[in-house]
Amino acid sequence: MDSGKKKEKREALQRIISTLANKNDEIQNFIDTLNQTLKGVQENSSNILSELDEEFDSLYSILDEVKESMINSIKQEQARKSQELQSQLSQCNNALENSEELLEFATRSLDIKEPEEFSKAARQIKDRVTMASAFRLSLKPKVSDNMTHLMVDFSQERQILQTLKFLPVPKAPEIDPVECLVADNSVTVAWRMPEEDNKIDHFILEYRKTNFDGLPRVKDERCWEIVDNIKGTEYTLSGLKFDSKYMNFRVRACNKAVAGEYSDPVTLETKALNFNLDNSSSHLNLRVEDTCVEWDPTGGKGQDSKIKGKENKGSVHVTSLKKHSSGTPSPKRTSVGSRPPAVRGSRDRFTGESYTVLGDTAIESGQHYWEVKAQKDCKSYSVGVAYKTLGKFDQLGKTNTSWCIHVNNWLQNTFAAKHNNKVKALDVAVPERIGVFCDFDGGQLSFYDANSKQLLYSFKAKFTQPVLPGFMVWCGGLSLSTGMQVPSAVRTLQKSENGMTGSTSSLNNITQ
């Protein structure tokens, strides 16, 4: 066997090993589901039996025969479901054991040096994989752990003892993924009943965040959150922070007495940019806490482990984000005496408007959006993006590696876009919240009034490196909102924005 064919067979075998490993993981997750379902059958059966006993304790002897009949029904259902699940669990365990044995054999085959023996082993593995039971298993429980169809309530039936029967249970609703909508950090879930049921009183919607696609997992998942008493067949969850890749949803129908089966769960994608502020990138006079940053004339990072020396021994760690309104030095004229203690032999890392901090997550592709809100009396701040190569003494907008809009409320009020040491004054009011839209692939950085979605300014640039969100603040503080989708209004504006707003080229002829 020549080296080319051996390489092809090795690659094919590697693909088989990867497929087997993925299948084993899938089966293991299903076994966890079966075990939980089996446990649920036992627990729910016990709960139902207890409730049944309580109801029958209040009845007369005429109910004894009916009680015995219902107990038998419950036990028969429990036995039927248990038998189904035990059988399915046994099949899965056998399939997993055979698959693990085949995986181990396939892995050992990679070390075979003799070409003919290697080829023979590869054929054997391929044949065994073709016939492996792991790929013919149904990974959905044959029965659920729900026993609510056996619940009872005899408040009315006491008048008609001879006609007692289990309460009718609503059928499981069906969530329609096509009708579901994920937009503007809201999720609208729509469902329908498989058949008309005028006894339904309301619906219960449950949801949880996850980073796994496909069916919900039993282990390592967050708890379900519940929205109860929904009267219609559609519900919108709004104001969500998309800090996970996906969300699971399921719904059940309820009549006046009992809740029905859950619908099959649906997984919807909720991907968005999430980042915190990178404390290691910030100026010594900034106090950084995840998504908040505040200027601190006493040295917000005085307790940082990076600062060593005698000057750091007496510093005090401040955890609250309080404003400092007295003794405020100008960012343009900071005297030596007013600077915070510095490491011996070093110089102030930033000067002027360089009280900066960067985000901890780089943007390398795609479209992303986040919002920034400044404290009411913040004297100066900038919002934008910068390359990772932003120098220690570089200010946002001062070089060709950063882009920003700058708000100055010191002495005179100015609002301007900055890039490459050029500025362009903006003839618009400074909004309460600023929305930042970054289209890395399209080479666009736009700023919006986050409330009205009015465009403030847009840069055009061909980004040649990953960019980081960048911020500057002096005499005040900023708070960030991340985990946000690009708003629909912003997407719509992007279609008509090109060619209608200023770009970096308009800054090149304007000297700061």
Side-chain angles (χ1 to χ4, degrees):
M1 182 186 300
D2 58 33
S3 59
K5 291 184 177 180
K6 183 176 181 180
K7 181 179 179 182
E8 291 179 2
K9 288 185 176 293
R10 181 178 293 274
E11 291 175 350
L13 188 55
Q14 288 284 14
R15 289 193 294 269
I16 291 174
I17 291 174
S18 177
T19 302
L20 285 171
N22 291 335
K23 176 56 67 175
N24 289 352
D25 180 65
E26 189 176 1
I27 293 174
Q28 185 60 60
N29 180 55
F30 183 58
I31 288 175
D32 293 337
T33 301
L34 289 176
N35 282 322
Q36 186 188 52
T37 305
L38 182 60
K39 180 181 178 182
V41 168
Q42 305 298 332
E43 292 177 351
N44 292 338
S45 298
S46 177
N47 292 336
I48 293 295
L49 285 170
S50 176
E51 292 182 13
L52 186 63
D53 283 334
E54 290 177 3
E55 289 289 340
F56 272 100
D57 286 343
S58 66
L59 300 178
Y60 297 102
S61 60
I62 193 173
L63 298 177
D64 289 342
E65 184 178 349
V66 178
K67 177 182 179 181
E68 187 64 26
S69 175
M70 289 187 171
I71 289 177
N72 289 336
S73 297
I74 293 173
K75 289 184 176 180
Q76 288 171 6
E77 182 69 353
Q78 175 186 349
R80 182 185 70 82
K81 289 192 173 186
S82 297
Q83 184 177 3
E84 291 279 6
L85 291 171
Q86 288 286 12
S87 175
Q88 201 171 8
L89 186 60
S90 177
Q91 293 175 7
C92 287
N93 281 324
N94 291 336
L96 180 60
E97 182 179 351
N98 293 335
S99 183
E100 288 176 339
E101 179 184 352
L102 182 55
L103 176 60
E104 182 179 357
F105 176 59
T107 303
R108 291 198 308 268
S109 299
L110 290 176
D111 298 327
I112 297 177
K113 306 300 182 181
E114 175 60 33
E116 291 184 2
E117 186 178 349
F118 178 81
S119 179
K120 180 180 178 181
R123 286 195 301 271
Q124 290 178 349
I125 293 169
K126 180 178 180 182
D127 293 341
R128 290 180 63 182
V129 168
T130 303
M131 299 301 294
S133 59
F135 295 91
R136 299 196 301 273
L137 282 174
S138 169
L139 298 186
K140 182 176 181 180
K142 292 182 179 180
V143 296
S144 74
D145 61 352
N146 196 303
M147 300 288 288
T148 56
H149 58 292
L150 300 179
M151 288 182 64
V152 296
D153 179 1
F154 294 149
S155 58
Q156 297 181 2
E157 285 77 359
R158 290 187 180 91
Q159 305 297 322
I160 46 174
L161 295 177
Q162 300 303 324
T163 60
L164 288 175
K165 59 179 66 176
F166 290 112
L167 289 171
V169 179
K171 293 185 178 297
E174 299 173 351
I175 299 178
D176 187 355
V178 177
E179 296 297 324
C180 296
L181 178 65
V182 180
D184 299 321
N185 283 81
S186 299
V187 179
T188 298
V189 184
W191 59 88
R192 58 175 175 267
M193 294 300 296
E195 58 186 50
E196 186 176 353
D197 185 349
N198 56 13
K199 300 294 185 181
I200 293 176
D201 178 70
H202 64 277
F203 295 92
I204 299 175
L205 174 67
E206 298 188 6
Y207 66 95
R208 66 181 178 186
K209 298 178 179 180
T210 178
N211 286 315
F212 299 102
D213 194 3
L215 293 176
R217 299 187 172 220
V218 175
K219 295 182 178 179
D220 303 323
E221 288 283 16
R222 307 182 191 183
C223 295
W224 290 96
E225 298 188 53
I226 300 174
V227 181
D228 200 352
N229 201 33
I230 301 173
K231 296 299 184 180
T233 57
E234 179 179 296
Y235 191 81
T236 299
L237 296 165
S238 57
L240 298 171
K241 179 174 181 178
F242 287 168
D243 52 2
S244 63
K245 295 180 181 178
Y246 305 95
M247 290 181 68
N248 301 141
F249 297 90
R250 64 185 185 186
V251 65
R252 64 199 307 193
C254 304
N255 56 28
K256 290 291 186 180
V258 67
E261 297 262 5
Y262 284 108
S263 65
D264 288 337
V266 170
T267 301
L268 302 177
E269 186 177 33
T270 56
K271 188 167 55 177
L273 176 66
N274 285 274
F275 67 89
N276 289 323
L277 297 173
D278 183 4
N279 190 50
S280 66
S281 72
S282 69
H283 188 282
L284 294 178
N285 284 74
L286 294 181
R287 191 162 62 250
V288 177
E289 295 182 8
D290 294 337
T291 58
C292 296
V293 56
E294 186 163 3
W295 183 78
D296 181 0
T298 64
K301 295 177 66 177
Q303 284 283 71
D304 197 297
S305 60
K306 297 182 301 180
I307 304 175
K308 304 185 183 296
K310 296 180 180 179
E311 296 85 349
N312 191 39
K313 289 184 178 179
S315 60
V316 178
H317 181 59
V318 182
T319 57
S320 62
L321 295 180
K322 297 179 181 178
K323 290 184 250 184
H324 302 271
S325 56
S326 61
T328 302
S330 165
K332 298 289 187 180
R333 299 180 181 275
T334 304
S335 64
V336 174
S338 64
R339 291 179 181 172
V343 178
R344 186 183 302 274
S346 69
R347 52 179 287 202
D348 192 7
R349 178 184 172 192
F350 296 89
T351 58
E353 296 170 0
S354 291
Y355 296 103
T356 64
V357 61
L358 301 176
D360 63 2
T361 302
I363 298 173
E364 300 180 356
S365 63
Q367 297 180 343
H368 306 280
Y369 180 84
W370 60 95
E371 293 181 356
V372 183
K373 182 178 181 180
Q375 290 179 351
K376 187 175 181 181
D377 56 352
C378 186
K379 287 185 170 56
S380 180
Y381 62 94
S382 297
V383 179
V385 300
Y387 287 158
K388 292 181 178 180
T389 55
L390 186 72
K392 281 188 174 182
F393 300 97
D394 293 339
Q395 302 174 16
L396 286 181
K398 287 283 188 177
T399 68
N400 63 357
T401 63
S402 61
W403 300 256
C404 72
I405 57 174
H406 176 69
V407 178
N408 178 38
N409 298 317
W410 174 257
L411 300 180
Q412 60 180 358
N413 296 333
T414 60
F415 189 25
K418 292 188 174 185
H419 172 65
N420 202 20
N421 205 28
K422 310 296 181 181
V423 301
K424 179 177 176 60
L426 303 181
D427 189 20
V428 292
V430 178
E432 180 184 7
R433 296 176 64 90
I434 296 176
V436 185
F437 170 76
C438 180
D439 181 357
F440 186 90
D441 302 314
Q444 186 163 333
L445 178 67
S446 300
F447 300 89
Y448 293 87
D449 182 326
N451 295 326
S452 68
K453 298 303 183 288
Q454 174 193 3
L455 178 66
L456 305 175
Y457 192 77
S458 186
F459 289 102
K460 292 289 187 181
K462 183 178 181 181
F463 298 122
T464 59
Q465 303 176 35
V467 296
L468 291 164
F471 310 90
M472 184 283 294
V473 62
W474 174 71
C475 285
L478 302 175
S479 60
L480 317 182
S481 296
T482 67
M484 305 182 72
Q485 288 186 308
V486 179
S488 300
V490 171
R491 291 188 185 277
T492 301
L493 287 170
Q494 292 303 309
K495 297 178 181 179
S496 58
E497 182 181 329
N498 292 338
M500 298 181 64
T501 62
S503 67
T504 55
S505 61
S506 65
L507 295 176
N508 292 336
N509 297 325
I510 302 175
T511 305
Q512 186 178 19

